[in-house]
Amino acid sequence: MEFSSKLLENAVNEMSQLPGIGKRTALRLVLHLLKQPEQQSQKLASALLQMRESINFCSNCHNISDTQLCKICANPRRDEKLVCVVEDIRDVMAIENTSQYRGHYHVLGGKISPMDGVGPGDLTIVSLVEKIKIGNISELIFALSSTMEGDTTNFYIYKQIEPYNITTTTIARGISVGDELEYADEVTLGRSILHRIPFESSLKSL
Amino acid sequence: MEFSSKLLENAVNEMSQLPGIGKRTALRLVLHLLKQPEQQSQKLASALLQMRESINFCSNCHNISDTQLCKICANPRRDEKLVCVVEDIRDVMAIENTSQYRGHYHVLGGKISPMDGVGPGDLTIVSLVEKIKIGNISELIFALSSTMEGDTTNFYIYKQIEPYNITTTTIARGISVGDELEYADEVTLGRSILHRIPFESSLKSL
């Protein structure tokens, strides 16, 4: 792509560094900004800069937070002995949206993935094990995505905390609500039969 | 969506102002920036700001340019009597990529579209008519997209310049190179038969 302006080329190049944004999309976004009042570009730029410079992570659960302890960890009505291990802050938001969970979280910051060069040391596993060592946690819920990387990470953490003898659970795998049985994959369907639950308790969660 | 940080929320909100970027995509982009070195966010922000503040438009053709006259208008080897009317700078880039055109351009900055509140006054039609009045142009090529808005804009300009008696042409509509006839729509196929060209001249353009 050849640009008629260096400034435009520079903006498109920087924009296309973002994941899933190619050169063509970047050009469309940048031309949109050009058509809008100058203020909009200024607001976008300063919002990004401020976020990058001043963002904080909760010292307990590593969730993004403006305060030293995040709202969830600082809430005395939440059960601090119950901890849900998630990959990143989007998972926290997704689980919070369900209003079904009243415990704490632990945000790992990723999954163990040798292909992407992410080892256990790049995640917040040490601080999780530390919390368990102190004895503050009675149950750990694994809520990572059900991929090879997620399973590897679950297993790695499981091995690390085995000596401390706490309850470890994992979120249920099964047929999504509203899904047709015939379109489900065998593994999911198989697991959902293997881990069937009493009919009465399925009524309770409605 | 509920965010655990005001700074994050602000960045996501600003990002999701861009066309085609929803809240979820914005969050993904912003979290990506958080994982990258701070420098990347700074470079993105300053590239956007610099572009928005210092960008220039060519005084002749209204293309984006760092100089008062763009490279195309300033090139003495290009035919200034031949002018191709396009919607925006992406069309200039697309036509330049073909290396088939040696004339000038005129960038309208949009199409007449009452639904979107774009009238003739919002485009650079006045300056195009001015150029034609002076008598600098011998042929005008309409290269707008073949939609109702594009056709309306073509017709509006055509009516404005009718008194000055210059040649007006429009880019050929027909079956795309590589396309199967059976999948072409009737209008395109009909036009391609109506406006058939001598076989010898189709050989020349290979």
Side-chain angles (χ1 to χ4, degrees):
Chain A
M1 229 187 256
E2 214 181 293
F3 293 93
S4 54
S5 151
K6 270 274 159 223
L7 291 167
L8 183 71
E9 186 172 2
N10 200 10
V12 169
N13 282 342
E14 287 302 329
M15 201 62 133
S16 63
Q17 302 284 314
L18 295 172
I21 309 275
K23 290 259 164 150
R24 267 165 191 271
T25 311
L27 180 59
R28 193 163 53 87
L29 298 180
V30 163
L31 289 180
H32 171 84
L33 281 177
L34 274 182
K35 279 192 186 169
Q36 302 299 309
E38 201 168 325
Q39 226 187 353
Q40 191 179 336
S41 308
Q42 283 164 352
K43 273 164 69 184
L44 172 62
S46 76
L48 290 179
L49 281 180
Q50 270 181 31
M51 177 204 66
R52 194 62 189 83
E53 275 164 17
S54 331
I55 205 118
N56 248 323
F57 293 89
C58 170
S59 60
N60 187 40
C61 72
H62 304 280
N63 192 3
I64 289 174
S65 163
D66 290 341
T67 44
Q68 202 238 331
L69 265 188
C70 75
K71 277 182 225 159
I72 296 171
C73 290
N75 187 344
R77 286 193 296 172
R78 297 193 72 129
D79 183 0
E80 59 172 346
K81 292 202 150 308
L82 183 63
V83 170
C84 181
V85 179
V86 294
E87 195 188 318
D88 75 15
I89 116 159
R90 276 174 289 181
D91 304 322
V92 174
M93 288 163 70
I95 297 177
E96 283 299 290
N97 271 340
T98 68
S99 316
Q100 296 287 335
Y101 182 63
R102 302 304 299 163
H104 280 200
Y105 292 93
H106 187 90
V107 180
L108 290 178
K111 290 173 290 192
I112 296 175
S113 168
M115 293 280 282
D116 303 320
V118 181
D122 300 315
L123 310 178
T124 61
I125 296 178
V126 173
S127 100
L128 175 64
V129 175
E130 211 56 51
K131 277 194 277 185
I132 290 169
K133 239 185 223 169
I134 301 171
N136 274 349
I137 300 175
S138 62
E139 181 181 343
L140 203 64
I141 307 173
F142 289 119
L144 302 189
S145 40
S146 184
T147 58
M148 197 161 70
E149 287 84 9
D151 291 344
T152 308
T153 314
N154 286 343
F155 194 69
Y156 181 88
I157 298 174
Y158 178 74
K159 278 286 159 195
Q160 296 276 311
I161 62 177
E162 223 175 3
Y164 308 108
N165 208 11
I166 65 164
T167 312
T168 48
T169 54
T170 174
I171 53 169
R173 311 289 179 192
I175 308 295
S176 295
V177 177
D179 260 16
E180 309 261 6
L181 273 207
E182 51 178 333
Y183 299 123
D185 65 295
E186 312 77 293
V187 181
T188 306
L189 190 54
R191 285 199 191 182
S192 76
I193 292 178
L194 208 62
H195 302 128
R196 61 193 176 277
I197 53 167
F199 184 65
E200 290 82 13
S201 58
S202 80
L203 293 177
K204 255 184 264 168
S205 60
L206 287 180
Chain B
M1 231 188 256
E2 213 180 293
F3 293 94
S4 54
S5 152
K6 269 275 159 224
L7 291 167
L8 183 72
E9 186 173 1
N10 200 10
V12 168
N13 282 342
E14 288 300 330
M15 201 62 131
S16 63
Q17 301 284 315
L18 294 173
I21 308 274
K23 289 259 166 150
R24 267 165 190 270
T25 311
L27 180 60
R28 193 163 54 84
L29 298 180
V30 163
L31 288 181
H32 171 84
L33 281 177
L34 274 182
K35 280 193 185 167
Q36 301 299 309
E38 201 168 324
Q39 225 188 356
Q40 191 179 335
S41 308
Q42 284 164 351
K43 274 163 70 182
L44 172 62
S46 76
L48 290 180
L49 281 180
Q50 271 183 29
M51 177 204 67
R52 193 62 189 82
E53 277 165 16
S54 330
I55 206 118
N56 247 325
F57 293 90
C58 170
S59 60
N60 187 42
C61 72
H62 305 279
N63 191 3
I64 288 173
S65 161
D66 290 340
T67 44
Q68 203 238 331
L69 266 188
C70 74
K71 277 182 223 158
I72 296 171
C73 290
N75 186 345
R77 286 192 297 172
R78 296 192 75 128
D79 184 0
E80 59 172 346
K81 291 200 151 309
L82 183 64
V83 170
C84 181
V85 179
V86 293
E87 196 187 319
D88 76 13
I89 118 160
R90 276 175 290 180
D91 304 323
V92 174
M93 288 164 70
I95 297 177
E96 283 299 289
N97 271 341
T98 68
S99 315
Q100 296 287 335
Y101 182 65
R102 302 305 298 164
H104 280 201
Y105 293 92
H106 187 89
V107 180
L108 290 177
K111 290 173 289 193
I112 295 175
S113 169
M115 293 281 280
D116 303 318
V118 182
D122 300 314
L123 309 178
T124 61
I125 296 178
V126 173
S127 99
L128 175 64
V129 175
E130 210 56 50
K131 277 194 277 185
I132 290 167
K133 239 185 222 169
I134 301 171
N136 274 350
I137 300 175
S138 62
E139 182 180 344
L140 203 64
I141 307 172
F142 289 119
L144 301 190
S145 41
S146 184
T147 58
M148 199 163 68
E149 288 84 8
D151 290 345
T152 308
T153 313
N154 285 343
F155 195 68
Y156 181 88
I157 297 175
Y158 179 75
K159 279 286 160 198
Q160 296 277 309
I161 63 177
E162 223 176 2
Y164 306 109
N165 208 12
I166 63 163
T167 312
T168 48
T169 53
T170 174
I171 52 170
R173 310 289 179 192
I175 308 296
S176 294
V177 178
D179 258 15
E180 307 260 6
L181 273 208
E182 52 178 329
Y183 299 122
D185 65 297
E186 314 75 291
V187 181
T188 305
L189 190 54
R191 284 199 193 183
S192 76
I193 291 176
L194 208 63
H195 302 130
R196 60 193 177 279
I197 52 167
F199 184 66
E200 291 81 14
S201 58
S202 80
L203 291 177
K204 257 185 260 169
S205 60
L206 288 180

